């Protein structure tokens, strides 16, 4: 029994030391918030593949992101080995709807052979945002991958700060979300300011839209564009409510509401009531700020999109960009029927909208942005082939800064401090360290997009055509992407001048690969 009497204090001291270390370290939010106990998660993660083979689920059975998808994001964020061994475990031949990307044996672009090639690749947008309508603030986004709209209030201040600092490191844009422009958005990253139905951050004391307040926000922060949020893929045509107890002094100041009182987002905008008045408002915002102005929406009834394109054909009014949000996108909280069944999934919704604009020869004058699980390379490549110029990442960026897919976003009990306003939980997330991981993830996604583009024989993912993708119908049939979605030849690509410009930009900055030294027989 003596050894037991000596062992118990020793174990207690070791656990106390481990707890102290966990509380003081800043690399893992879960351990800071749940010292000692949090190690169980990492132990289970380590033995997870073995357990799942016999007891739990396969690598591709978890939702909304499979284990393989999350492992790829986590490894990319940490700059660890994100390769997979032994070949695919996807049931490719028997999965209808599976996308196959067709490489070229001989193409214009020649991929470098080094495994690390392209890690720091510069991958700008193939179009200039706002150029088609001559906006004074028109610019070419430096990254085709950007951080999607996630509001301060839905995410913790530390999470927003980590994403903004990560955006600065990665050279990409961060969308503020409809919750306004908080101090956490001012960490160096450039912004797209989103205007929602409650006009948070640009409203007067009565809750009405204030143009003066908007211009003040734009002047005092690195805002590059304005996005009018119409609907969101995971909860289209719904308003929102942030309960009074969650409306802290910081959130109240950011949104322009009263501390401690319910914060309501209406389901409709007050500044316009139809497509015609929407375009009037777009032109007003663009004229007053000089910035490109676009809209974000999920896709349901196509009447709105047809009317929008028809009105834009006159040429005197128009949006500079369109962000199409798929129904499979994420949200902090929504009724299950909306997350599961309302609004079209990305590929179907986007292709229908793009087709409407292409039929009216407007597709080359609009920058198209996609959202809805496009932070995974295979989904993003299909999006580019369909005509996306940029993709937004949301939940994948959350995973990069520590989210473990606990699906507690709506309970304010996120264990890693990402989607919560609980100060104790939020303190576990160290913005400086997580910013690096966000930047690593974005950089790795860009690298993989570039590698696939080169494998397809082109210099940029925006130049991947629908000819490069087939959709499997089962074991014995496949249909080209253009035929699946009714695209005409040339649709999905930027204009000829834009293609020439982006090819020149990429070939001047991205090194080309090649072969070994040819033999004398080959050269002679």
């Amino acid at each position: 029994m003596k050894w037991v009497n000596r062992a118990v204090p020793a174990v207690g001291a070791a656990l106390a030391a481990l707890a102290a270390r966990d509380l003081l370290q800043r690399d893992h939010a879960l351990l800071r918030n749940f010292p000692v106990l949090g190690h169980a998660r990492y132990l289970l993660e380590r033995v997870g593949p073995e357990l799942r083979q016999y007891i739990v689920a396969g690598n591709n059975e978890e939702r909304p992101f499979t284990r393989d998808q999350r492992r790829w994001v986590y490894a990319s964020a940490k700059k660890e080995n994100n390769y997979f061994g032994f070949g695919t475990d996807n049931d490719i031949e028997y999965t209808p709807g599976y996308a196959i990307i067709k490489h070229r044996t001989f193409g214009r672009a020649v991929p470098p052979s080094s495994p690390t090639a392209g890690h720091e690749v510069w991958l700008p947008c193939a179009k200039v945002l706002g150029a088609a309508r001559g906006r004074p603030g028109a610019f070419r986004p430096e990254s085709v991958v950007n951080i999607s709209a996630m509001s301060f209030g839905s995410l913790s201040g530390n999470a927003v700060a980590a994403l903004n600092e990560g955006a600065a490191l990665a050279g990409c844009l961060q969308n503020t979300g409809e919750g306004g422009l908080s101090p956490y958005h001012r960490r160096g990253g450039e912004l797209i300011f989103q205007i929602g139905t409650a006009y948070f951050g640009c409203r007067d004391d009565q809750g009405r839209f204030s143009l003066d307040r908007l211009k003040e926000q734009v002047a005092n922060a690195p805002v590059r564009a304005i996005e009018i949020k119409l609907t969101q893929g995971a909860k289209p045509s719904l308003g929102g409510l942030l309960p009074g107890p969650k409306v802290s002094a910081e959130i109240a100041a950011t949104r322009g509401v009263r501390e401690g009182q319910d914060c309501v987002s209406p389901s409709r905008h007050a500044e316009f009531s139809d497509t015609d008045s929407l375009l009037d408002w777009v032109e007003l915002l663009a004229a007053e700020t000089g910035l490109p102005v676009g809209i974000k929406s999920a896709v349901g009834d196509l009447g709105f999109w047809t009317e929008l394109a028809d009105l834009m054909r006159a040429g005197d009014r128009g949006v500079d960009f369109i962000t199409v949000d798929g129904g499979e996108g994420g949200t902090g909280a929504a009724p299950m029927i909306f997350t599961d069944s309302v609004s079209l999934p990305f590929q179907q919704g986007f292709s229908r909208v793009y087709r409407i604009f292409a039929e009216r020869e407007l597709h080359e004058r609009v920058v198209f942005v996609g959202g809805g699980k496009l932070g995974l390379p295979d989904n993003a490549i299909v999006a580019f082939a369909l005509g996306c110029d940029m993709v937004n990442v949301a939940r994948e960026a959350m995973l990069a800064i520590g989210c473990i897919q606990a699906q507690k976003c709506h309970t304010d009990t996120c264990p890693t401090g990402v989607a919560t306003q609980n100060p104790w939980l939020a303190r576990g997330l160290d913005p400086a360290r997580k910013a690096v991981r966000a930047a690593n993830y974005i950089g790795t996604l860009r690298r993989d997009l570039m590698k696939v583009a080169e494998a397809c024989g082109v210099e940029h993912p925006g130049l991947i055509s629908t000819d490069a993708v087939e959709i499997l119908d089962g074991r014995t049939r496949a249909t080209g992407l253009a035929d699946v979605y009714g695209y005409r030849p040339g649709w999905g690509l930027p204009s000829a001048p834009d293609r020439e410009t982006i090819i020149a930009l990429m070939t001047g900055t991205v090194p080309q690969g090649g072969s070994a030294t040819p033999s004398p027989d080959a050269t002679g």
Side-chain angles (χ1 to χ4, degrees):
M1 294 296 293
K2 290 183 178 180
W3 70 269
V4 174
N5 293 335
R6 290 194 297 268
V8 170
V11 170
L15 290 175
L18 180 61
R21 177 189 175 279
D22 290 344
L23 287 168
L24 294 175
Q25 61 83 37
R26 294 177 176 272
D27 286 330
H28 302 287
L30 192 67
L31 297 181
R32 291 191 79 194
N33 292 335
F34 299 95
V36 181
L37 292 177
H39 287 278
R41 183 257 176 184
Y42 295 101
L43 175 62
L44 290 173
E45 180 184 34
R46 178 163 298 187
V47 300
E50 291 78 9
L51 289 175
R52 284 192 300 275
Q53 286 183 51
Y54 304 105
I55 301 173
V56 196
N59 286 337
N60 295 301
E61 294 176 0
E62 299 178 53
R63 295 292 182 269
F65 292 90
T66 70
R67 180 62 200 172
D68 276 350
Q69 290 169 341
R70 285 186 287 129
R71 185 168 80 81
W72 179 82
V73 173
Y74 292 145
S76 299
K78 298 174 185 177
K79 278 199 170 180
E80 296 176 349
N81 184 350
N82 64 358
Y83 282 37
F84 287 74
F86 205 66
T88 182
D89 57 3
N90 293 344
D91 198 3
I92 296 176
E93 292 180 292
Y94 297 94
T95 306
Y98 198 98
I100 295 295
I101 302 161
K102 301 188 294 183
H103 69 282
R104 287 186 181 176
T105 304
F106 302 108
R108 293 193 312 261
V110 182
S113 300
S114 167
T116 60
H119 275 207
E120 304 300 328
V121 66
W122 177 56
L123 205 53
C125 181
K127 294 177 182 174
V128 176
L129 188 58
R133 299 205 54 77
R135 309 299 190 197
F139 71 106
R140 185 185 300 277
E142 293 289 307
S143 174
V144 297
V145 179
N146 298 289
I147 297 174
S148 190
M150 293 180 282
S151 301
F152 170 50
S154 177
L155 299 190
S156 68
N158 281 355
V160 174
L163 292 173
N164 189 257
E165 292 179 27
L169 292 172
C172 73
L173 298 164
Q174 180 190 23
N175 192 305
T176 63
E178 64 177 315
L181 205 162
S182 72
Y184 304 103
H185 288 103
R186 302 173 184 270
R187 301 295 188 95
E190 293 188 329
L191 302 167
I192 293 178
F193 185 84
Q194 188 182 84
I195 302 176
T197 56
Y199 308 114
F200 294 132
C202 55
R203 54 191 265 159
D204 62 18
D205 294 338
Q206 284 74 47
R208 300 170 301 189
F209 171 71
S210 169
L211 182 58
D212 289 338
R213 179 62 177 146
L214 173 65
K215 292 166 71 173
E216 179 185 329
Q217 292 276 37
V218 168
N220 294 329
V223 176
R224 303 300 306 274
I226 295 171
E227 180 180 80
I228 302 167
K229 177 184 174 182
L230 302 179
T231 62
Q232 181 180 343
K235 50 180 181 182
S237 300
L238 282 183
L241 171 66
L242 188 64
K246 293 184 179 181
V247 182
S248 65
E250 278 189 317
I251 291 176
T254 296
R255 298 195 175 196
V257 298
R258 294 182 179 179
E259 180 181 355
Q261 293 188 9
D262 289 347
C263 184
V264 178
S265 298
S267 60
R268 297 289 187 274
H269 278 269
E271 295 301 299
F272 52 88
S273 56
D274 56 21
T275 312
D276 190 60
S277 54
L278 164 63
L279 284 178
D280 285 341
W281 203 54
V282 166
E283 292 300 328
L284 170 68
L285 299 183
E288 292 290 333
T289 65
L291 299 178
V293 179
I295 59 174
K296 173 183 177 177
S297 182
V299 181
D301 174 61
L302 295 181
F304 160 73
W305 299 102
T306 301
E307 186 176 5
L308 177 64
D310 285 341
L311 289 171
M312 286 179 58
R313 289 182 83 176
D316 57 335
R317 297 176 301 168
V319 296
D320 297 296
F321 65 96
I322 293 174
T323 302
V324 173
D325 200 23
E328 65 271 58
T331 181
M336 183 174 68
I337 180 63
F338 279 84
T339 59
D340 287 353
S341 302
V342 182
S343 83
L344 289 168
F346 172 77
Q347 287 186 24
Q348 293 194 37
F350 179 85
S351 61
R352 295 184 192 186
V353 170
Y354 185 91
R355 199 164 59 234
I356 288 171
F357 280 78
E359 287 169 349
R360 291 156 178 80
E361 299 184 349
L362 295 170
H363 56 301
E364 295 176 350
R365 297 178 57 81
V366 176
V367 173
F368 288 97
V369 187
K373 296 185 75 173
L374 301 184
L376 303 168
D378 53 342
N379 293 343
I381 288 295
V382 175
F384 280 110
L386 285 172
C388 269
D389 301 295
M390 297 189 289
V391 295
N392 286 341
V393 297
R395 287 172 295 177
E396 301 91 335
M398 291 169 62
L399 291 170
I401 64 171
C403 169
I404 58 173
Q405 197 170 279
Q407 297 179 288
K408 300 291 185 182
C409 313
H410 60 299
T411 66
D412 204 36
T413 58
C414 170
T416 58
V418 176
T420 179
Q421 297 305 309
N422 183 306
W424 171 257
L425 296 174
R427 67 171 286 282
L429 194 157
D430 180 36
R433 284 173 169 78
K434 297 301 185 182
V436 175
R437 293 190 177 181
N440 289 343
Y441 156 69
I442 292 167
T444 303
L445 176 56
R446 289 193 301 230
R447 178 203 69 184
D448 282 8
L449 294 177
M450 189 64 191
K451 281 180 172 289
V452 175
E454 291 170 334
C456 293
V458 294
E459 300 84 357
H460 187 279
L463 303 179
I464 296 175
S465 70
T466 52
D467 294 337
V469 181
E470 291 193 11
I471 305 298
L472 300 185
D473 300 330
R475 190 173 187 276
T476 59
R477 293 184 56 199
T479 304
L481 191 65
D483 292 331
V484 170
Y485 292 114
Y487 275 35
R488 297 175 189 169
W491 285 6
L493 294 172
S495 67
D498 283 337
R499 293 198 300 270
E500 291 176 4
T501 300
I502 198 63
I503 289 172
L505 288 173
M506 297 308 296
T507 53
T509 58
V510 178
Q512 295 286 288
S515 62
T517 303
S519 68
D521 292 337
T523 58

